[in-house]
Every structure is written in structure tokens, then in C-alpha cells.
Amino acid sequence: MRKMMMTIMVIMVMISSPCCVFGQLSNNFYRVSCPNAEQIIKQVVNEEFAKDPTITAGLLRMHFHDCFVKGCDASILINSTSNKPSEKTAGPNLTVRGYELIDEAKRRLEAACPSKVSCADIITLATRDSVVLAGGPNYIVPTGRRDGLVSNPNDVNLPGPSQSVTSAFQSFRAKGLTLNEMVVLLGAHTVGFANCNFFSSRLSNFQGTGKPDPAMDPALVTKLTQICATGSNPKAFLDQNTSNIFDNEFYRQIRLKRGVLKIDQELASDTTSSVLVSNLASNPIRFSQSFASAMIKMGRIEVLVGSAGEIRKSCGAFN
């Protein structure tokens, strides 16, 4: 039954996607210049996912952090030098991972078709492929992005895990995304996890009360307290049920007061987003379709196309 539902989801998502051009991005952009590009990237993702299924969460976070800073231009991939720090050194990006996967895909692509496939497109395609492997929707990724020429840590200003829904939405709206799309994109937390320092303030003495956050299920407080006592800033899954499966369980969890991050829990209680959460919790096909559409839209934020930017030979350095 699950397999049949996933097949239906894939078909519906693909049918609902426009066939050709997305504002100078296009489907199968590399069909002539590098016809095996998407297959090469998919193979690298398959190999990494087989070793580490949590790579889906890593790539989703990388993609989000890239697109929300100067657009989807792979600026997050640039390595710092002794006299020039890059976005990688900014606080929110210190725990971003998946760089080795992108580098390996780029290495194979350069061997097959030098200077043709952008690092920005590699991030976008690899993220899609990892979502599919985790059980999420397949969707057509329009390509043709070019890589940016600037990577400055001072440009990194991302919505944080302790923000309110209203505050977080200001960041999403500035990128042309709707409240519904924000709620859907945060559903990526269904395969995510967070270090204890991002939510420990909710477990005890919340806002100076001397007690845990009353918006969190007491059983979850106990569980997370035990996890956070086991080492140096350990991690906890954001979806406490189907942690490595890309599904709509995240929304069911936060409706049961089992949201780990403050922003996640507030999605279920804020009057502007609670109905959206309820709808997504009860309809897995709606979530899959909405997530695919929102990812396609996010992947078009401030993209460089045509002769803008460059096609890097190495994703970690400008040409």
C-alpha cells in the first residue's frame, strides 16, 4: 500500500510541474552539454545514503542555508582562506555537513564533462535525490544555475530555532515564500536532528520559571533530558517516531506537543499556522506535493543564470 501511494505521489508531482522553462532555468538543462549529469549525481548520493541515511537531513539544511543567503549560488561551499573567511565560518553554518558528497559529485562531473555543471545545481539535485531515497517525493528539478562569486560570513542571517512563527516568517517572506510554504519546508525536520544546545533551555528553567516548557510533552522532556546528559552536546531527532523516513509524521508529533525546537512546536500552536499543520498531519499526499512545489520554488531564489557568475572547477574555491 505504501509503495502504491508513493508511486501516485511521484506521478502527481511530475504532472503538476511545468514542462520546460522556469525563469531561465529549465528541465534537463544538461541534456546536450553533460547528458549523464543527473545520473552521476544520483549515483554519488546513492552511495552516501547507503552508508549514512541521515545525509538527507544534511543536504536539506545545506540547500536551505545556501538559498537563503544571496540565493542558490553555492556560496556556502567556498572554503575560507587565511585572510578571507567564507560563509562556512558563520555560526549557523558550523554544523552544516555534506560537503564531501558535493565535492565527490563535482570530481566525477569534471571528469565526464569539464566546466559544465554548476555546484549550485549539484546541491539542488543531490538534495532532491536524497529526499527520494528517504521515502519522500520525486520531483523535477529545473537546472541552469551558475555559481556565485561572493561568500561572506557577514551575509549569513538565517531564521533560528528559537524564533516565533511571526519572526521566522519575515525571513521567508523576504525570499518570496508564503506562510504555507514556510510550514511545508519546515516539514523537512521530519528527518532532521538538533544538538542539545538548540533546545536545552526548554527542558528546565524555561524563561526563568524553574520548570520545563509547558508546551512540551512531559515524557519528551524526560527523554531529551536523558539524551542531553549522555555527552558533550549530543543530538536528538526532531521527529521522535519515524526519524529517518521522509513523511508527514513531524506534523503529527508537534500536534502532540512533541516538537523539539521552539519554532517547530509553535507551528502547531500559533493561530496563523495551526490549521496548516493540521491539514498536513492528516494528508501525506498533500504534504508530498506541497513540499515538492516549495522546494522547486526555493531552488529558484535569486539564481544566477546566463553569463552571470561562473561554473566552478572546484566547489570549494572560486575559479
Side-chain angles (χ1 to χ4, degrees), residues 43-62:
Q43 180 60 35
V44 174
V45 176
N46 286 346
E47 292 170 9
E48 183 60 30
F49 186 86
K51 296 182 292 185
D52 176 17
T54 70
I55 193 61
T56 303
L59 290 173
L60 281 162
R61 190 158 181 255
M62 177 191 290

Side-chain angles (χ1 to χ4, degrees), residues 62-194:
M62 177 191 290
H63 186 35
F64 172 74
H65 282 217
D66 183 45
C67 291
F68 264 60
V69 180
K70 300 187 73 65
C72 309
D73 67 348
S75 54
I76 194 172
L77 302 179
I78 294 296
N79 295 318
S80 296
T81 63
S82 57
N83 60 359
K84 193 172 181 62
S86 68
E87 288 179 26
K88 279 187 179 181
T89 65
N93 290 338
L94 294 178
T95 52
V96 171
R97 61 197 182 91
Y99 297 117
E100 296 82 2
L101 183 155
I102 304 299
D103 289 341
E104 176 59 19
K106 182 61 172 174
R107 184 189 69 77
R108 297 187 195 183
L109 287 164
E110 286 298 298
C113 35
S115 300
K116 297 298 183 184
V117 183
S118 71
C119 299
D121 276 343
I122 295 173
I123 294 175
T124 310
L125 288 163
T127 301
R128 185 273 311 276
D129 293 340
S130 71
V131 166
V132 174
L133 289 172
N138 197 353
Y139 51 95
I140 298 171
V141 173
T143 45
R145 297 165 188 79
R146 289 172 65 86
D147 300 322
L149 300 172
V150 176
S151 183
N152 187 339
N154 296 326
D155 292 332
V156 179
N157 182 23
L158 297 162
S162 297
Q163 284 184 286
S164 66
V165 171
T166 301
S167 177
F169 179 49
Q170 291 177 358
S171 297
F172 282 79
R173 183 169 54 191
K175 298 300 179 182
L177 297 167
T178 66
L179 177 65
N180 184 74
E181 287 163 340
M182 181 186 85
V183 176
V184 167
L185 288 169
L186 287 175
H189 287 177
T190 192
V191 290
F193 49 80

